[in-house]
Amino acid sequence: MGRFATTVDLYEQFRPPYPVAFFREVAQRLALTKQHALIDIGTGPGLLALGFADYVGRIVAVDPEPNMLAAARQTAKQAGRDVTFVEGRAEDLPESIGRFDLVTIGRALHWLDESTLGALFERLVAPGGAIAICASSSATDGRNAWLDEYAQARRDWSDQKLWSQSRSGQRARRELSLLLQDTTFQAAEVIRVESVKQTSVADLAQRMLTFSSSSPAALGEKVEPMLRDVEARLMPLSRDGVLTEFVVSTAKIARRR
């Protein structure tokens, strides 16, 4: 069973979403057309692959977790989208997979073997193509007044080893230029789209279960006590159990030097 096997049913529902405007903005900035091909690495439930489906032709989505791929396949089927799903590690993709105009990676960058990234990008990215490292998360600039309390709850309830690994993942996203040092790629621009939504305290508590460090597998019998604790911490900061959430979605674009 993979690290995220117990989060499949929760991930798409409770993680901060990529808004429609994000995909439109990225597609416009990169001048994507139906003549272009996209590969989404670490696709999970297919949020990026399916989000860009209106803007590209061929789509390949890769993930080592079979339950995540099953969820993505079901969503693609319901949406009538033609996506090729590949179960396995991106590092193990065969040469026959071809080349792509856009390589997207969402919340999976830190699970990849950094030593293989250079060679992987070199063979996957077509001439003139780009890499987009994408993320969507609660704004950390003070607008989400509840976020500090929520982050403290995550620290308190997380498996400490897994928590440390997840922090490394956030640093990896911030330091994209360092990851590209030994490649022919360089960070080119950051595309940023902001959105706002109403999120219930109960949903934010459930979101805790979508992180590897506080997943049902990691928490075991502590799931229900965790949910109660998080709701108790956030309820005083809410209005009738509802919080305003400011979300920042970004795509860090890399191109060949």
Side-chain angles (χ1 to χ4, degrees):
M1 180 179 290
R3 185 185 297 269
F4 289 95
T6 57
T7 72
V8 173
D9 294 335
L10 305 164
Y11 198 96
E12 185 173 6
Q13 183 177 356
F14 296 114
R15 282 290 185 102
Y18 293 97
V20 172
F22 170 77
F23 297 106
R24 181 172 61 246
E25 181 68 16
V26 174
Q28 290 176 349
R29 296 274 287 271
L30 298 183
L32 296 177
T33 73
K34 288 295 184 177
Q35 303 304 311
H36 290 132
L38 176 151
I39 186 168
D40 185 35
I41 295 174
T43 196
L47 302 184
L48 289 175
L50 296 172
F52 281 115
D54 283 336
Y55 303 101
V56 298
R58 180 188 177 213
I59 304 173
V60 175
V62 183
D63 201 283
E65 176 55 63
N67 290 343
M68 282 289 191
L69 282 183
R73 284 193 184 96
Q74 182 63 28
T75 303
K77 181 179 180 180
Q78 292 172 347
R81 299 301 190 184
D82 184 14
V83 178
T84 299
F85 291 100
V86 178
E87 181 180 332
R89 302 190 322 143
E91 299 92 327
D92 298 329
L93 286 170
E95 294 285 346
S96 60
I97 198 71
R99 307 189 85 179
F100 299 84
D101 302 289
L102 182 60
V103 174
T104 58
I105 306 176
R107 303 177 177 107
L109 182 62
H110 54 298
W111 302 120
L112 300 175
D113 182 351
E114 292 182 16
S115 67
T116 69
L117 282 181
L120 181 65
F121 291 152
E122 296 292 354
R123 67 187 180 90
L124 287 181
V125 181
I131 302 161
I133 307 301
C134 302
S136 191
S137 59
S138 307
T140 58
D141 55 10
R143 284 179 289 172
N144 291 312
W146 48 269
L147 190 58
D148 287 345
E149 187 64 40
Y150 189 75
Q152 183 60 54
R154 277 197 66 193
R155 285 191 291 271
D156 291 346
W157 284 99
S158 288
D159 176 284
Q160 290 307 301
K161 180 180 178 181
L162 296 177
W163 170 262
S164 178
Q165 291 174 351
S166 69
R167 296 301 90 191
S168 296
Q170 287 193 354
R171 288 191 293 273
R173 285 195 292 273
R174 289 197 298 267
E175 299 166 3
L176 175 60
S177 58
L178 295 180
L179 292 177
L180 298 173
Q181 267 187 339
D182 297 325
T183 74
T184 62
F185 294 88
Q186 63 181 354
E189 61 180 310
V190 177
I191 300 171
R192 177 186 176 101
V193 173
E194 296 192 4
S195 57
V196 61
K197 62 192 288 282
Q198 300 302 305
T199 304
S200 72
V201 166
D203 281 0
L204 279 170
Q206 291 284 337
R207 183 183 296 174
M208 198 80 71
L209 298 173
T210 71
F211 300 101
S212 63
S213 59
S214 53
S215 67
L219 289 176
E221 296 178 353
K222 298 178 182 178
V223 168
E224 290 303 322
M226 181 278 291
L227 293 175
R228 290 195 298 270
D229 177 62
V230 174
E231 289 189 24
R233 295 188 193 205
L234 297 183
M235 194 62 72
L237 303 174
S238 74
R239 177 173 293 181
D240 297 325
V242 177
L243 294 161
T244 298
E245 181 175 15
F246 294 88
V247 178
V248 178
S249 302
T250 59
K252 295 185 177 181
I253 307 301
R255 301 180 185 273
R256 281 197 170 84
R257 301 173 191 273

